[in-house]
Amino acid sequence: MERAFQTALWLLQPEVVFILGDVFDEGKWSSSQAWADDVGRFWKIFRHPPHVQLRAVAGNHDIGFHYQMNTYKIKRFEKVFNPERLFSWKGINFCVPGTQLPADSTGGPWLISCPCLSFVMVNSVALEGDGCDICSGAEAELLEISHRLNCSREQEHRPQECGDRQRLPASAPILLQHFPLYRRNDANCSGEDAAPPDEKYTPFKERYDALSQEASRKLLWWLRPRLVLSGHTHSACEVLHGAGVLEVSVPSFSWRNRNNPSFIMGSVTPTEYALAKCYLPCEDTVLTTYCTAAGGLVLLTLGHAGLVASPFHFGWNMLRKFKTTPDTSLEPLSFSHSSFTMRPWSRTAIVKARRSTGIFLE
């Protein structure tokens, strides 16, 4: 992952990197020391220059599923990553986002100035819908974001309740979350990095494999996104929701979860977007290459030290031994057409026969 990420930074020159949850495998039960160690390892692998932003949403491995998460785990995660639920980004290759300003005095979502593109980052683990304190707070934040987005869409006739709040981009936002929106299964997913055939028709469990139908409807209604990017399933999938809203499930970036990990490269403007998939080397290909190279290196080292003969000398010595060692039991036999009797040929006759026919048998 480290080499792939650093290569992608060097080649693609991104301005922002999104991680769609499950940053830490054991974050849901890590001790303080284990968490600190994992965070240090993460920043070593995903180090990046100051002008590149790195944003992450919480996944079930980071804070646990609904019955495991608590305020402490969420705050611990948000201390490592910026806690914005909503931020705007001015552009492609011509603006570095400005300072962070609180959206309002109520301590609501944070916003990055220079509005041109909007991204909404959702803690999908908190969309259980059971009215718990964390879930209620998450829904309240989303309702506030929805209100601000709707006010910004009204360019000419702003409702009175919108007041003088800072406007967001008028274009529809991009929704980023860990759990995918509700779908029955991966039966309609295709591609070389889709779920294997024996898993495609396994029904998805709501609030475990995907968001519930209710939560999915709320997100689409409140935010009206133009694109949804999600993770969690470790396999690729493209699904159309509602009035043609595309959701792309991004496969895993780690060999731990699949043999052919990948990531999505996106180019986004206020009105359009373009996505391309970038594959990492397959794990079995890399392991085979390493094993073959290591085996060849060992043979060359032993051959150089004289402990093992090179294959050429070994074959030549075997050939010479065969030629100089008589074995009467293997002498070739000749057929006499006149008498149909068999008699052994001499070695001189064999050599003459070879020279006359041009066929060499060993």
Side-chain angles (χ1 to χ4, degrees):
M1 287 192 297
E2 179 178 4
R3 181 48 41 212
F5 182 75
Q6 297 303 323
T7 302
L9 284 183
W10 181 69
L11 289 177
L12 304 178
Q13 298 292 314
E15 292 181 86
V16 61
V17 176
F18 296 106
I19 301 181
L20 302 177
D22 283 356
V23 183
F24 306 105
D25 185 32
E26 300 177 355
K28 56 188 176 182
W29 54 60
S30 291
S31 64
S32 298
Q33 184 58 49
W35 176 265
D37 294 341
D38 287 344
V39 169
R41 182 166 174 257
F42 170 84
W43 287 123
K44 176 182 178 296
I45 294 175
F46 293 93
R47 61 189 182 276
H48 54 279
H51 65 272
V52 176
Q53 298 187 75
L54 190 147
R55 309 281 171 174
V57 296
N60 57 286
H61 280 271
D62 301 314
I63 61 175
F65 281 103
H66 174 260
Y67 59 90
Q68 294 173 315
M69 72 172 179
N70 54 43
T71 303
Y72 168 75
K73 294 178 183 178
I74 294 176
K75 295 298 183 183
R76 184 172 67 173
F77 182 85
E78 291 181 345
K79 186 177 179 180
V80 178
F81 301 100
N82 293 322
E84 290 88 359
R85 300 289 181 269
L86 167 69
F87 69 95
S88 298
W89 177 37
K90 190 177 178 179
I92 308 296
N93 298 324
F94 64 85
C95 177
V96 177
T99 56
Q100 297 175 358
L101 299 173
D104 51 45
S105 59
T106 63
W110 287 64
L111 174 69
I112 291 182
S113 57
C114 295
C116 191
L117 303 172
S118 288
F119 300 85
V120 180
M121 304 177 68
V122 175
N123 178 6
S124 51
V125 183
L127 298 182
E128 187 78 6
D130 63 349
C132 72
D133 291 341
I134 296 176
C135 298
S136 298
E139 289 201 6
E141 283 187 325
L142 289 173
L143 283 171
E144 170 64 17
I145 292 172
S146 173
H147 181 65
R148 298 187 62 198
L149 288 170
N150 290 335
C151 288
S152 298
R153 290 186 178 106
E154 299 293 338
Q155 296 294 336
E156 297 181 359
H157 306 286
R158 284 170 62 93
Q160 185 176 2
E161 59 269 19
C162 291
D164 297 327
R165 289 187 176 185
Q166 182 181 3
R167 291 192 181 188
L168 299 176
S171 60
I174 295 175
L175 176 60
L176 309 171
Q177 58 187 24
H178 181 61
F179 284 178
L181 297 175
Y182 175 78
R183 60 177 182 261
R184 287 186 176 181
N185 50 37
D186 276 351
N188 296 323
C189 306
S190 60
E192 59 183 290
D193 53 355
D198 58 336
E199 298 179 7
K200 279 190 172 185
Y201 297 93
T202 303
F204 277 6
K205 182 180 178 181
E206 294 186 46
R207 303 177 181 88
Y208 186 84
D209 299 307
L211 289 177
S212 66
Q213 298 184 57
E214 179 184 2
S216 301
R217 284 194 296 265
K218 285 182 178 180
L219 286 176
L220 292 174
W221 174 252
W222 289 344
L223 305 176
R224 288 186 281 173
R226 53 176 166 150
L227 174 66
V228 181
L229 296 172
S230 60
H232 189 58
T233 64
H234 301 160
S235 300
C237 191
E238 294 186 6
V239 185
L240 289 177
H241 298 280
V245 178
L246 175 65
E247 177 185 8
V248 178
S249 290
V250 181
S252 177
F253 188 67
S254 172
W255 281 339
R256 178 189 181 278
N257 299 317
R258 61 180 309 106
N259 181 53
N260 57 338
S262 62
F263 62 94
I264 298 291
M265 180 182 67
S267 179
V268 185
T269 70
T271 57
E272 298 178 350
Y273 61 83
L275 304 177
K277 187 170 293 183
C278 305
Y279 287 92
L280 278 66
C282 293
E283 182 180 20
D284 54 6
T285 301
V286 174
L287 293 178
T288 301
T289 303
Y290 283 172
C291 292
T292 302
L297 183 61
V298 169
L299 289 177
L300 288 176
T301 303
L302 295 177
H304 182 72
L307 300 177
V308 174
S310 66
F312 174 77
H313 288 95
F314 178 79
W316 177 252
N317 291 333
M318 289 296 295
L319 178 63
R320 291 182 59 189
K321 182 178 180 181
F322 176 78
K323 286 185 175 181
T324 57
T325 303
D327 190 352
T328 56
S329 63
L330 298 178
E331 285 187 345
L333 301 177
S334 65
F335 291 86
S336 171
H337 293 282
S338 57
S339 59
F340 201 70
T341 59
M342 295 183 293
R343 64 180 185 277
W345 280 12
S346 65
R347 185 169 296 279
T348 304
I350 293 175
V351 173
K352 289 182 179 180
R354 289 174 179 170
R355 290 176 181 173
S356 61
T357 59
I359 299 176
F360 296 85
L361 304 176
E362 295 294 342

